[in-house]
Amino acid sequence: MSKKAIKPSLKNPFDPPEKVEFTIPGEIAGVSGGYEEAMKEGYDLIQRPIKSVSVAQIEKQHFKKRMTVWERIRVLTDKEPNILFQNWGKNLDGASLVTGILNIKGRDVALYGHDFTVRAGSMDATNGQKLARLFQMAGEKGMPLIGMNDSAGAYVPAGVGGLDGYAEAFTALRKISGVVPSIMCMFGFNAGGGSYLPRQGSFVIQPNDTFFGLTGPGVVKSVLGEDITPEELGGPQVHGKSGVADLTVEDEVSALRTAISLLSYLPDNNSVMAPFQETSDPLDRKTWEINTLLKKTFNSPTGFNTPFDVSLMIQQICDHGDYFEMQPDRARNVITAFGRLGGNVVGFVANNSAVDSGQIDCDAAYKIARFNRFCNIYNIPLIFMEDTTGFLPGREQESRGIVQAGRAMLDSIVDIRTPRILLIIRNAFGGAYASYNNYPTGADLVLALPTTRLAVMGPAGKEFVYKDELRKLRGSIAERVKRGIQERLDAGLRDDVAKKDAEKEAADWLKAAEAELNLRYEKELMNPKEALSLGSISSIVMPTDLRKVLGENLNFFLRHYKPGPMQSVQREFY
C-alpha cells in the first residue's frame, strides 16, 4: 500500500485532455499567426477568474461546507450567466467579486457574489466600482437584485481604497432601494462593511454556521474582554429573533432556493405588479376548515377567550394553501406573509392570538411597519386580519419605546396606497383597532366575522359602562356580610366560623354578579352591531366564504389600481 499522500484534484481523470483550437470548422489547415495568438490570450482571460484559482483554495471552501461563487450561481439558474466586468482588477482575475446578469425562470436578475477563493472575497476600490455599476444598471433596467455575501471585509493592503469601495457600493445600493427589490444571502464570515452592505437590501437570508455583524468575536474580546462565539454574537439564532435576518435556513443550498422562492412573490421593480400566476384553485372554494377551526376554538371551555394559530386561516385563504412567511422567528404574536389569492400576490398582516393573545409589542409593531412599507413601495395589496386585545402594556415595553414603535406601525398603515382590506376575526379593542387599517386610516374595505368583538375596551370596560351598578353591588357587601354573620350566630355557629362563612358567601355572590355583568357587556357592546350601524364595518362575512369574498373584492380593487412608483411625500420616520 502506497504511503504517498494523495493530492486532491477536481479534474476527472477519464476526461480527455482539454485542447482548444482556434480554427474554423472545415477550414484547410494553414500557418497560424498573430490572430491565433490573440484568440488564445483572449480565451485565457475569459477563463482566468474561474480556472486561475488553485485546487487547494477550492478544497478549503468545500472543507468549510461552503460552495464557490460559481457553484452557487449554478444553484440559482441552469442558464449560462452573463458575467459583467469579468477581468477587472490588477491580476485580471475579477478582483474577488463576480457581477453579472442571470436568467431565473425567465426573469433577468442582477447578481453579485464574493469569490472567497480570491483574497477571501475582500473589498477594494475596484470592487466598489463594479458593485456601483451593477446596482446602477439594476435600477435603470428595473431588475431585481440577488447578493451572495462571503467576504472578509476591506482588503487591508488596498488601504483606504477598500473603504472607498464600500462607501461607493453603499451609496449606489441606497439609491436603488425602493426602485428594485433585493435579496441578500449571507455566507461564511462577514463583518463591518460586509454586514452593512447586505442589510441595505430588502431581505436577508442567513444559513446556519455563518456569521455577520459589526465586529467579530476577536474584537469583542480585545475591547470588552468578553469571550463569545460567532454563533452567539452574530449567528442566525441572534439575527432571526432581532429581525436583522428576515429568514434563517439550514444551509447554503436552502438559502439560494429560498431566494428563488421569495423572488417569485416580488415584482421586478416599483413600476409593475408582482408576477401573476394562474391557479387551478377555484376562487369560490368553500373554506370549511376555517369554520371547523373557529367552531372548535370558541366552543371550548374558555369560549371566546381561547387562542388559536391564525396561520391556519391564511393557509386556507391562499391558492392551494401556499404562502411565504417573513421573519418567522421574530414576534410570533403577529404574522407577516406573502401569498397568492386568485393568482395575485398579496401581503398578509395577521394578529396571532396563539402567542401572547396577539397583543402588539415593540417587535411586532416594527415587524408590521417594515412589511407594510415594502408592500406599499412595490405595489403589493394587503389583507389585514385583526384579532388583538391591544398594545402590550408594562414597564418593559414603555422603556423599549412602545409609543414610538406603535407610531411607526400606524404611520406605515396611514401611508399605504395599494389596495387594502381589513378582516376582523374576533377581538378589536381600543387603540389597537384605531391604528389597524380601519376606514378612517384608509382601508378600502372592512369586513368582519360574526365572532367579532369590537369595543373601546375588553371585559374590563364594564367598570365604566356599569359603574353605578357595580358601585351599588360592592357597596352592599358590608351589609350582606353583617346580615350573614347574624344569621349564622342565630343558628348557633361560633363567631369566627360565622364571620368566615358569611364573607365567603358574599364574595361568591359578588363574583357571580360581576360575571353576569361581563356577559351583559359582551352581548350589548362586544359585538359587530354598533360598528355595522355606524358604517365602521362594511359587512359581515361567513367563515366558509372568506376566500371567495376576499378574492372577489381584491380583484375589483386591483382592476382599478395603476401600479407605479410612489409619488407622495416621503415621511420622515421609519
Side-chain angles (χ1 to χ4, degrees), residues 246-247 323-328 332 334-338 367:
D246 297 282
L247 298 161
Y323 67 94
F324 193 103
E325 186 175 351
M326 300 306 304
Q327 296 193 357
R332 291 290 300 169
V334 66
I335 288 179
T336 54
F338 295 113
K367 179 177 174 178

Side-chain angles (χ1 to χ4, degrees), residues 58-68 71-72 150 187-188 207-210 250-253:
I58 297 174
E59 287 294 322
K60 281 183 181 179
Q61 277 289 92
H62 291 172
F63 181 75
K64 297 174 186 175
K65 298 182 180 179
R66 301 176 195 167
M67 292 184 283
T68 67
E71 290 166 338
R72 290 166 182 160
D150 188 1
F187 302 131
N208 290 337
D209 301 319
T210 60
E250 185 66 27
D251 52 31
E252 290 193 4
V253 174

Side-chain angles (χ1 to χ4, degrees), residues 222-234:
S222 63
V223 175
L224 301 177
E226 181 182 353
D227 285 313
I228 192 168
T229 66
E231 291 76 17
E232 295 169 334
L233 183 61

Side-chain angles (χ1 to χ4, degrees), residues 8 39 72 95 102 122 128 155 169 209 230 313 382 389 415 418 473 538 557:
M39 291 300 101
R72 290 166 182 160
L102 299 188
S122 56
Y155 185 47
D209 301 319
M313 291 185 69
L382 284 154
T389 54
D415 289 346
T418 59
L473 288 171
S538 175
F557 292 128

Side-chain angles (χ1 to χ4, degrees), residues 276-295:
F276 178 85
Q277 185 173 295
E278 291 286 351
T279 178
S280 58
D281 192 355
L283 198 61
D284 59 357
R285 166 173 55 82
K286 291 286 187 179
T287 47
W288 290 108
E289 289 83 356
I290 294 178
N291 191 75
T292 302
L293 170 68
L294 297 180
K295 183 177 181 179

Side-chain angles (χ1 to χ4, degrees), residues 292-351:
T292 302
L293 170 68
L294 297 180
K295 183 177 181 179
K296 287 186 175 181
T297 299
F298 298 145
N299 283 346
S300 65
T302 48
F304 275 61
N305 296 318
T306 309
F308 68 92
D309 190 346
V310 76
S311 64
L312 299 172
M313 291 185 69
I314 297 174
Q315 181 188 57
Q316 291 302 315
I317 292 169
C318 290
D319 295 347
H320 299 292
D322 190 26
Y323 67 94
F324 193 103
E325 186 175 351
M326 300 306 304
Q327 296 193 357
D329 300 325
R330 180 193 190 195
R332 291 290 300 169
N333 41 336
V334 66
I335 288 179
T336 54
F338 295 113
R340 279 190 170 83
L341 185 51
N344 294 302
V345 173
V346 60
F348 288 91
V349 179
N351 302 123

Side-chain angles (χ1 to χ4, degrees), residues 453-492:
R453 304 198 298 179
L454 178 55
V456 175
M457 292 183 69
K462 73 176 187 301
E463 298 287 341
F464 301 94
V465 176
Y466 308 121
K467 181 169 59 176
D468 293 338
E469 293 179 55
L470 283 167
R471 186 186 294 117
K472 288 179 182 178
L473 288 171
R474 291 162 182 167
S476 67
I477 287 294
E479 181 61 31
R480 180 173 285 271
V481 170
K482 182 179 178 182
R483 190 166 60 248
I485 291 174
Q486 188 59 50
E487 289 174 355
R488 285 159 177 75
L489 289 174
D490 294 342

